[in-house]
Amino acid sequence: MSGFFGSRHVVLVLPCITVLAGLYYLRSAWATILFYHAVIVIYLFLTRRNRARPALFRGWHTPTGIGLILLCACSGPLLVILWPVIENVQGSLSAALDSFGLHGARWWLFAAYFVSMHPILEEIFWRDALAERNRSIDIADVAFAVYHVLVLIHFLKIHWVVVVFVILVLVSSLWRCMAGRYHGLAMPMISHMTAGVGIMTALYLITRG
């Protein structure tokens, strides 16, 4: 595909640009995620003729799927346990989230959106539309982790950001490889949702602690 979206490498940096615009300039979590998802939807629309329809509900393998779900379910408890050690928030986490517009009903709506639509769009984008099947770690896995770093540096000590970056690269590679091996996004999508539920639950518990 020609034009701005024609280069895979250009597309890979767009999530970082949306985070910089939404989180750093507008200071809005909602603006950030909606800008990001708008980029995904536009890219998928413009490239739909070049790709098969994503197999969202195919590719389930029970032992592997359960293992991925259990692995991703650890994200919430680990975040709660490690928070006193890893956090780098000025003031409280509640105040930090509030500074990005996440409070009251907006927080609950964001949490619901984050654990539902967000994983679906991300898996279609990162593990299907941009995926390379012939590598253990691909540049898309690195780009996936990098855009998270721009968010995490607001909340975590820098050396822990590096740790999470490495984990995200490996998890992205694992999700991509499982999607390719089993010819579908079911396992990455469900385990990604599990991670999202764990993270949102952990944030709720920490802010109420």
Coordinates of all heavy atoms in Angstrom, one line a residue, residues 8-9 12-13 15-16 126-127 130 135-150 164-174 176:
R8 N 5.7 -0.1 6.9 CA 5.4 -0.8 8.2 C 6.2 -0.1 9.3 O 5.7 0.1 10.5 CB 5.9 -2.2 8.1 CG 5.7 -3.1 9.4 CD 6.0 -4.5 9.1 NE 5.8 -5.4 10.3 CZ 6.8 -5.9 11.0 NH1 8.0 -5.6 10.7 NH2 6.5 -6.6 12.0
H9 N 7.4 0.4 9.1 CA 8.2 1.1 10.1 C 7.5 2.4 10.5 O 7.6 2.8 11.7 CB 9.6 1.3 9.6 CG 10.4 0.0 9.5 ND1 10.3 -0.8 8.3 CD2 11.2 -0.6 10.3 CE1 11.1 -1.9 8.5 NE2 11.6 -1.8 9.7
L12 N 4.6 1.6 12.8 CA 5.1 1.1 14.1 C 5.4 2.3 15.1 O 5.3 2.1 16.3 CB 6.3 0.3 14.0 CG 6.1 -1.1 13.4 CD1 7.5 -1.8 13.2 CD2 5.2 -2.0 14.3
V13 N 5.7 3.4 14.6 CA 6.0 4.6 15.5 C 4.7 5.4 15.9 O 4.7 6.2 16.8 CB 7.1 5.5 15.0 CG1 8.3 4.7 14.7 CG2 6.6 6.2 13.8
P15 N 1.8 4.6 17.4 CA 1.4 4.6 18.8 C 2.1 5.5 19.7 O 1.5 6.1 20.6 CB 1.6 3.1 19.1 CG 1.4 2.4 17.8 CD 2.1 3.3 16.8
C16 N 3.4 5.6 19.5 CA 4.2 6.5 20.3 C 3.8 7.9 20.1 O 3.7 8.7 21.1 CB 5.7 6.4 20.0 SG 6.4 4.8 20.5
W126 N -1.3 -5.6 16.3 CA 0.1 -6.1 16.6 C 0.3 -7.5 16.2 O 1.4 -7.9 15.8 CB 0.4 -5.8 18.1 CG 0.5 -4.4 18.5 CD1 -0.5 -3.7 19.2 CD2 1.5 -3.4 18.2 NE1 -0.1 -2.4 19.4 CE2 1.1 -2.2 18.8 CE3 2.7 -3.5 17.5 CZ2 1.9 -1.1 18.7 CZ3 3.5 -2.4 17.4 CH2 3.1 -1.2 18.0
R127 N -0.6 -8.4 16.5 CA -0.4 -9.8 16.3 C -1.0 -10.4 15.0 O -0.8 -11.6 14.7 CB -0.9 -10.6 17.5 CG 0.2 -11.0 18.5 CD 0.9 -9.9 19.2 NE 0.1 -9.2 20.1 CZ 0.5 -8.2 20.9 NH1 1.7 -7.7 20.8 NH2 -0.3 -7.6 21.8
L130 N 0.3 -6.4 11.7 CA 1.7 -6.1 11.6 C 2.6 -7.2 11.9 O 3.9 -7.1 11.9 CB 2.0 -4.9 12.6 CG 1.4 -3.6 12.3 CD1 1.7 -2.6 13.4 CD2 1.8 -3.0 10.9
R135 N 10.0 -14.9 12.9 CA 11.0 -14.4 13.8 C 10.6 -14.6 15.3 O 9.4 -14.5 15.6 CB 11.3 -12.9 13.7 CG 11.8 -12.6 12.3 CD 12.0 -11.1 12.2 NE 12.4 -10.7 10.8 CZ 12.6 -9.4 10.4 NH1 12.4 -8.4 11.3 NH2 13.0 -9.1 9.2
S136 N 11.5 -15.0 16.2 CA 11.2 -15.1 17.6 C 10.9 -13.8 18.2 O 9.9 -13.7 19.0 CB 12.3 -15.8 18.3 OG 13.5 -15.1 18.2
I137 N 11.7 -12.8 17.9 CA 11.4 -11.4 18.3 C 11.5 -10.5 17.1 O 12.5 -10.5 16.4 CB 12.4 -11.0 19.4 CG1 12.2 -11.8 20.7 CG2 12.2 -9.5 19.7 CD1 13.1 -11.4 21.8
D138 N 10.4 -9.7 16.9 CA 10.3 -8.9 15.8 C 10.3 -7.4 16.2 O 10.0 -7.1 17.4 CB 9.0 -9.2 15.0 CG 8.8 -8.4 13.8 OD1 9.7 -8.4 12.9 OD2 7.8 -7.6 13.7
I139 N 10.6 -6.5 15.3 CA 10.6 -5.1 15.6 C 9.2 -4.6 16.1 O 9.1 -3.7 16.9 CB 11.0 -4.3 14.4 CG1 11.2 -2.8 14.7 CG2 10.0 -4.4 13.2 CD1 11.7 -1.9 13.6
A140 N 8.1 -5.3 15.7 CA 6.8 -5.0 16.1 C 6.6 -5.2 17.6 O 5.9 -4.5 18.3 CB 5.7 -5.7 15.4
D141 N 7.3 -6.3 18.1 CA 7.3 -6.6 19.6 C 8.0 -5.5 20.3 O 7.5 -5.1 21.4 CB 8.0 -7.9 19.8 CG 7.4 -9.1 19.1 OD1 6.1 -9.1 19.0 OD2 8.1 -9.9 18.5
V142 N 9.1 -5.0 19.8 CA 9.8 -3.9 20.4 C 9.0 -2.6 20.4 O 8.9 -1.9 21.4 CB 11.1 -3.6 19.7 CG1 11.9 -2.4 20.4 CG2 12.0 -4.9 19.8
A143 N 8.3 -2.3 19.3 CA 7.5 -1.1 19.2 C 6.3 -1.2 20.1 O 5.9 -0.2 20.7 CB 7.0 -0.9 17.7
F144 N 5.7 -2.4 20.3 CA 4.6 -2.6 21.2 C 5.1 -2.2 22.6 O 4.3 -1.6 23.4 CB 4.2 -4.0 21.1 CG 3.1 -4.4 22.2 CD1 1.8 -4.0 22.0 CD2 3.5 -5.2 23.3 CE1 0.8 -4.4 23.0 CE2 2.5 -5.6 24.2 CZ 1.2 -5.2 24.0
A145 N 6.3 -2.6 23.0 CA 6.8 -2.4 24.3 C 7.2 -0.9 24.5 O 6.9 -0.3 25.6 CB 8.0 -3.3 24.7
V146 N 7.7 -0.3 23.5 CA 8.2 1.1 23.6 C 7.0 2.0 23.9 O 7.2 3.0 24.7 CB 8.9 1.5 22.3 CG1 9.1 3.0 22.2 CG2 10.2 0.8 22.1
Y147 N 5.9 1.9 23.2 CA 4.8 2.8 23.5 C 4.3 2.7 24.9 O 3.9 3.7 25.5 CB 3.7 2.7 22.4 CG 2.4 2.0 22.9 CD1 1.5 2.6 23.7 CD2 2.2 0.6 22.5 CE1 0.3 1.9 24.1 CE2 1.1 -0.1 23.0 CZ 0.2 0.6 23.7 OH -1.0 -0.1 24.1
H148 N 4.4 1.5 25.5 CA 4.0 1.3 26.9 C 5.0 2.1 27.8 O 4.6 2.6 28.8 CB 4.0 -0.2 27.3 CG 2.8 -0.9 26.8 ND1 2.7 -1.4 25.5 CD2 1.6 -1.2 27.4 CE1 1.6 -2.0 25.4 NE2 0.9 -1.9 26.5
V149 N 6.3 2.1 27.4 CA 7.3 2.8 28.2 C 6.9 4.3 28.4 O 7.1 4.8 29.5 CB 8.6 2.7 27.5 CG1 9.6 3.7 28.1 CG2 9.2 1.3 27.7
L150 N 6.4 4.9 27.4 CA 6.0 6.3 27.4 C 4.9 6.6 28.5 O 4.8 7.7 29.0 CB 5.6 6.8 26.1 CG 6.6 6.8 25.0 CD1 6.1 7.3 23.7 CD2 7.8 7.7 25.4
V164 N 9.9 -4.0 32.9 CA 8.6 -4.2 32.2 C 8.8 -4.2 30.7 O 8.1 -4.9 30.0 CB 7.6 -3.1 32.7 CG1 6.3 -3.3 32.0 CG2 7.4 -3.3 34.2
F165 N 9.6 -3.3 30.2 CA 9.9 -3.2 28.8 C 10.3 -4.6 28.2 O 9.8 -5.1 27.2 CB 10.9 -2.2 28.4 CG 11.4 -2.2 27.0 CD1 10.7 -1.7 26.0 CD2 12.6 -2.9 26.8 CE1 11.2 -1.8 24.7 CE2 13.1 -2.9 25.5 CZ 12.4 -2.4 24.4
V166 N 11.2 -5.2 28.9 CA 11.7 -6.5 28.5 C 10.6 -7.6 28.5 O 10.4 -8.4 27.6 CB 12.9 -7.0 29.3 CG1 13.3 -8.4 29.0 CG2 14.1 -6.0 29.1
I167 N 9.8 -7.5 29.6 CA 8.7 -8.5 29.8 C 7.7 -8.3 28.6 O 7.2 -9.3 28.0 CB 8.0 -8.3 31.1 CG1 9.0 -8.7 32.2 CG2 6.7 -9.1 31.2 CD1 8.5 -8.4 33.6
L168 N 7.4 -7.0 28.3 CA 6.4 -6.8 27.3 C 6.9 -7.2 25.9 O 6.1 -7.7 25.1 CB 6.1 -5.3 27.2 CG 5.2 -4.8 28.3 CD1 5.2 -3.2 28.3 CD2 3.8 -5.3 28.2
V169 N 8.2 -7.1 25.6 CA 8.8 -7.6 24.3 C 8.6 -9.1 24.3 O 8.1 -9.6 23.2 CB 10.2 -7.2 24.2 CG1 10.9 -7.9 23.0 CG2 10.4 -5.7 24.0
L170 N 8.9 -9.8 25.4 CA 8.8 -11.2 25.4 C 7.4 -11.7 25.3 O 7.0 -12.7 24.6 CB 9.5 -11.8 26.6 CG 11.0 -11.5 26.8 CD1 11.5 -12.0 28.1 CD2 11.7 -12.2 25.6
V171 N 6.5 -11.0 26.0 CA 5.0 -11.4 26.0 C 4.5 -11.2 24.6 O 3.7 -12.0 24.0 CB 4.2 -10.7 27.0 CG1 2.7 -10.9 26.9 CG2 4.7 -11.2 28.4
S172 N 4.8 -10.0 24.0 CA 4.3 -9.7 22.6 C 4.8 -10.8 21.7 O 4.0 -11.3 20.8 CB 4.8 -8.3 22.2 OG 4.4 -8.1 20.9
S173 N 6.1 -11.2 21.8 CA 6.6 -12.2 20.9 C 5.9 -13.5 21.1 O 5.6 -14.2 20.2 CB 8.1 -12.4 21.2 OG 8.7 -13.4 20.4
L174 N 5.6 -13.9 22.4 CA 4.9 -15.1 22.7 C 3.5 -15.1 22.1 O 3.1 -16.1 21.5 CB 4.8 -15.3 24.2 CG 4.1 -16.5 24.7 CD1 4.8 -17.8 24.2 CD2 4.1 -16.5 26.2
R176 N 2.4 -13.4 19.6 CA 2.5 -13.4 18.1 C 2.8 -14.8 17.6 O 2.2 -15.3 16.6 CB 3.6 -12.4 17.7 CG 3.7 -12.3 16.2 CD 4.7 -11.2 15.8 NE 5.9 -11.2 16.6 CZ 6.9 -12.1 16.3 NH1 6.8 -12.9 15.3 NH2 8.0 -12.1 17.1

